Amino acid sequence: MKVLIVIPAFNEEGNLPGLISDIRRCGNGYDMVVIDDSSSDNTSEVARQAGVPALRLAANLGIGGAVQTGFKYALRHGYDVIVQMDGDGQHDPRWLEDVLGPIRHGEADCVIGSRYLREGRDLEYKTPFARRLGMYFSSGILFLATRLHITDTTSGFRALNREAFTYFARHYPVDHPEAEALLMLHRNDFRIVEVPIKMRIRAMGTSLFTFSKAALYPIRVIIGFAGLLLKRNKGQK
Amino acid sequence: VNFILSPKLLAIALIVLVFAYTIQLVRTDRLSAHLAISWIMTECVFFLLCMFDWPLELIQTIFGDGKTIIVAALLGVTWMAVLMLDSLVRISALTAKLKDINQELALVRSEIDRQTGDSKVTR
């Protein structure tokens, strides 16, 4: 099974070397690609120096556009599975095999690494209050729309099989995509599973999820969900 | 003074100003002529409506005395909404194209880098 680790990164020159070497230590020789979302620092150069291909976007597309570039890359290079991990180093590569497990066993098309599953809840990682509120909100909206109980809708630690990322290479939400992407998968009969993971504290830099963004997040989620539900289902599974 | 402040003259002056501004935007390359054409046509129609009395008289005949202004305003606002939606559709389509081109550029660049690297190694 050919696995690709997609690392979307924006101004992460400080965190990337550590993350890349951690993945190499635990990643069973998996390939990696860094998607540099038009950073103003040396994110691409740092990745290349570490021997990882870096795709530099000419203009900032946001996390959704960056991740979708990774899906397109995986599709063109014939990968079977992709694992998405944030470039800030908060996703611990020690959990890679846990996230890949259900896909290896054919039990899921999409696996989400969750901090909040009852079994194995991450008690050490303190989610910022604003982010936690946004997450509860998107979980609630997703449950209302699909009856799907996902505890960590905003988690960016995900694995997708070829069928799922092929679909996302064509259709993927750009703005705050995590929860919307789950709705899209559910509407197209992809199987979604959560596995418990633990997250690390960001070593350098600051999160892009600021208080002002958090305040607007519920509105964006509602608009995004409404837009998706109004659309004809682009089910090409 | 009464003549200058007459609603008809004010409306014509405003439309001429907006028309001149639209033309200026096209001349300075800030607005595409293809995108501006619907707005220019609308401004021309509004200008003609201000110049002649018969369109308002027609509305008056159909809807009655008291509702002329309301109906005229409603028609104008509806048409403006249609134009705005048309512009938003164009912006959405262009945004999607821009995203695809941006992603394609990054993918092609990485492929070129890979091949250049490979050929350097081969040499």
Side-chain angles (χ1 to χ4, degrees), chain A residues 132-142 153 217-219 221-222:
Chain A
R132 204 166 51 216
L133 270 186
M135 214 222 24
Y136 286 144
F137 185 82
S138 59
S139 291
I141 293 274
L142 184 68
T153 45
Y217 183 73
I219 299 164
V221 169
I222 291 174

Side-chain angles (χ1 to χ4, degrees), chain A residues 58-59 65 68-69 72 76, chain B residues 99-100 102-104 106-107 111:
Chain A
Q68 193 185 31
T69 311
K72 290 182 177 179
R76 288 182 191 190
Chain B
K99 185 194 77 173
D100 288 344
N102 199 351
Q103 291 176 330
E104 197 59 36
L107 289 161
E111 190 58 30

Side-chain angles (χ1 to χ4, degrees), chain A residues 158-219:
Chain A
R158 295 179 176 192
L160 297 163
N161 67 8
R162 190 174 171 83
E163 226 173 5
F165 74 72
T166 302
Y167 171 69
F168 275 155
R170 284 196 300 266
H171 316 287
Y172 195 67
V174 171
D175 204 9
H176 294 301
E178 290 86 3
E180 282 178 49
L182 295 176
L183 176 59
M184 288 169 76
L185 287 176
H186 178 77
R187 290 184 84 199
N188 287 283
D189 300 326
F190 287 103
R191 296 159 301 162
I192 306 167
V193 165
E194 279 189 301
V195 295
I197 58 150
K198 293 196 192 315
M199 273 186 47
R200 304 188 290 199
I201 308 291
R202 169 188 268 278
M204 290 181 181
T206 51
S207 170
L208 293 174
F209 203 76
T210 56
F211 187 81
S212 57
K213 280 191 180 170
L216 288 173
Y217 183 73
I219 299 164

